[in-house]
Amino acid sequence: MEKITIYKEQLSRMRSMNRYYHDQFLLDVRILFILNTIFIYLSLSNEYALYLVPLISLFGSVILSFHAYFLIFSRNYTEFIEQKINKEFDNKILIAHELENDYFFPTKQKKMVVAVLNKNFSWFSFVTLFITTYGFSSYLWSMYMIYDAKLNLVYLYFVIGITVITLVVGYWWFISGTGEKRLERIFQNNG
């Protein structure tokens, strides 16, 4: 099998993965928004409905980050493959990775999951931060309401504990760049 055929098949596979996780992300955002809104509304007449809001928000942040995890992987790998194909032809025939780096988010820069907070800030970054802020706000509001109503402090400590663990692991993987450094190591060894 020719090298270029293998590259082409891998590129197609990664583009399919990218599309799937984008579609899944958007579906999950809608579902999580609806669930969050329903339980916030229900909490107006039944304060115990508040118990589900922080869990929905926390689970939502983890599952959406999981989709971003695959998006980052596929974006990095498609960039690697496109560069290999361009090198193979000694010509810049594939530029999708350059467009994506400029229009969505750059793969080689520090980000908060997929949001960059520098001159490369984009609509993609804004939407990421908007969804994050919505989820975090509903999380904080519900946690405060549970605390204020003195409903169950053990529950609060449990949720805070899970949140701290999630934030630490998320920081380690995404913000410190651990995940992308692992990819980069493989790419450099196979460049």
Side-chain angles (χ1 to χ4, degrees):
M1 185 178 282
E2 280 188 57
K3 200 183 330 184
I4 197 68
T5 304
I6 295 169
Y7 288 152
K8 186 179 155 205
E9 287 173 1
Q10 286 297 302
L11 186 58
S12 176
R13 180 175 169 232
M14 285 303 105
R15 289 289 176 202
S16 294
M17 177 189 276
N18 192 313
R19 178 172 182 224
Y20 173 78
Y21 280 98
H22 265 106
D23 290 348
Q24 194 61 49
F25 176 88
L26 295 172
L27 175 66
D28 288 353
V29 164
R30 291 178 190 113
I31 291 169
L32 291 163
F33 176 78
I34 290 167
L35 283 173
N36 225 358
T37 303
I38 288 169
F39 283 99
I40 288 172
Y41 177 76
L42 290 175
S43 75
L44 298 175
S45 59
N46 179 356
E47 58 190 11
Y48 291 101
L50 286 171
Y51 282 99
L52 290 174
V53 176
L55 296 177
I56 292 167
S57 297
L58 187 57
F59 180 79
S61 69
V62 170
I63 198 72
L64 296 177
S65 295
F66 184 72
H67 299 323
Y69 169 78
F70 278 96
L71 174 60
I72 291 167
F73 173 80
S74 68
R75 281 278 317 281
N76 275 280
Y77 193 37
T78 55
E79 182 173 339
F80 175 76
I81 295 168
E82 286 188 2
Q83 289 172 344
K84 290 287 241 180
I85 292 171
N86 287 344
K87 192 184 243 183
E88 195 70 26
F89 283 101
D90 200 27
N91 195 352
K92 216 177 199 182
I93 58 174
L94 297 176
I95 62 165
H97 66 281
E98 291 180 26
L99 294 168
E100 290 168 332
N101 278 330
D102 201 43
Y103 195 73
F104 296 119
F105 64 88
T107 56
K108 305 291 188 254
Q109 285 186 8
K110 193 171 199 115
K111 346 175 224 318
M112 189 174 91
V113 185
V114 292
V116 290
L117 304 174
N118 58 28
K119 68 180 178 62
N120 291 317
F121 187 82
S122 64
W123 179 252
F124 199 89
S125 295
F126 172 76
V127 171
T128 300
L129 295 174
F130 181 86
I131 292 167
T132 302
T133 301
Y134 173 81
F136 190 62
S137 297
S138 61
Y139 170 89
L140 286 177
W141 175 79
S142 59
M143 292 291 278
Y144 173 75
M145 295 303 287
I146 291 168
Y147 174 78
D148 190 50
K150 296 176 179 45
L151 293 178
N152 189 335
L153 293 181
V154 172
Y155 172 80
L156 280 179
Y157 296 135
F158 171 73
V159 173
I160 289 170
I162 294 171
T163 303
V164 168
I165 291 167
T166 302
L167 288 172
V168 168
V169 173
Y171 181 89
W172 164 75
W173 187 260
F174 290 108
I175 297 176
S176 76
T178 299
E180 289 179 86
K181 288 174 190 166
R182 288 184 183 183
L183 292 174
E184 195 59 40
R185 188 176 62 238
I186 301 294
F187 295 147
Q188 286 174 354
N189 291 337
N190 294 287

